[in-house]
């Protein structure tokens, strides 16, 4: 009986340790993914280098980071500035209610933006800030929800078609 008790106690203790390690891995992975989503490559590298990730997950994040470094020269600086400073002009909008079961989804895109980025990157950066602020104000006024943004494009959702 005593042997079973010590075995069970040791097993439970080891299980708890493994659970804590897994929680630390999940927190580290969330942190790295969040910095990568903002294209904050320096912080992502620092987080990756100090993380307790298992080798396969570490290698996957390293590959993503490497790819972002490769593609970085092809993305306008203003896009990165927008991503890294999004909190400065982001207005929290609650998700549309699910009481009705009806939703409308809309997509926006600034036509000709690639050419404008190339011709006038500083002007486009300022224009994009204004665009994003206006979009978010309109979403707030019409009970809309920002699902995600990619560059100058928005994916938005509304509780009703009339709000959209």
């Amino acid at each position: 009986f005593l042997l079973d008790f010590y075995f069970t106690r040791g097993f439970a203790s080891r299980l708890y340790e493994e659970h804590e390690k897994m929680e630390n891995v999940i927190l580290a992975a969330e942190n790295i993914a969040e910095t990568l989503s903002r294209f904050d490559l320096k912080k992502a590298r620092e987080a990756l280098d100090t993380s307790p990730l298992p080798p396969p997950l570490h290698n996957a994040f390293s590959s993503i980071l490497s790819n972002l470094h490769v593609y970085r020269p092809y993305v306008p600086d203003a896009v990165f500035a927008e991503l890294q400073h999004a909190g400065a002009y982001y207005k929290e909008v609650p998700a549309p209610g699910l009481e009705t079961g009806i939703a409308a989804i809309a997509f926006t895109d600034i036509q000709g933006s690639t050419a404008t980025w190339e011709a006038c990157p500083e002007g486009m950066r300022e224009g994009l800030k204004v665009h994003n602020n206006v979009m978010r104000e309109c979403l707030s006024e019409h009970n809309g929800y920002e699902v995600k943004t990619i560059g100058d494009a928005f994916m938005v959702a509304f509780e009703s078609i009339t709000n959209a």
Side-chain angles (χ1 to χ4, degrees), residues 61-105:
F61 275 122
S62 289
S63 179
I64 292 169
L65 188 57
S66 176
N67 288 335
L68 290 175
H69 276 290
V70 169
Y71 291 112
R72 172 61 180 92
Y74 302 100
V75 180
D77 289 339
V79 170
F80 289 98
E82 170 76 8
L83 289 167
Q84 292 172 351
H85 298 92
Y89 32 76
Y90 178 75
K91 183 177 179 182
E92 186 68 32
V93 178
L98 300 176
E99 306 85 37
T100 62
I102 299 171
I105 296 175

Side-chain angles (χ1 to χ4, degrees), residues 29-88:
E30 286 176 344
N31 180 41
I32 294 166
E34 193 267 332
T35 56
L36 287 172
S37 74
R38 289 191 331 267
F39 285 85
D40 193 340
L41 305 183
K42 183 179 177 185
K43 281 188 181 177
R45 170 53 62 197
E46 290 170 2
L48 188 58
D49 289 344
T50 60
S51 72
L53 300 178
L57 191 55
H58 188 277
N59 293 342
F61 275 122
S62 289
S63 179
I64 292 169
L65 188 57
S66 176
N67 288 335
L68 290 175
H69 276 290
V70 169
Y71 291 112
R72 172 61 180 92
Y74 302 100
V75 180
D77 289 339
V79 170
F80 289 98
E82 170 76 8
L83 289 167
Q84 292 172 351
H85 298 92

Side-chain angles (χ1 to χ4, degrees), residues 2 15 24 27-28 38 60 63 69 79 82-83 88 94-96 103-104 109 111 115 133 140 146 149:
L2 196 54
L15 190 59
N24 290 335
L27 290 174
R38 289 191 331 267
S63 179
H69 276 290
V79 170
E82 170 76 8
L83 289 167
D109 189 46
Q111 190 171 6
N133 285 336
S140 180
E146 180 180 331
T149 59

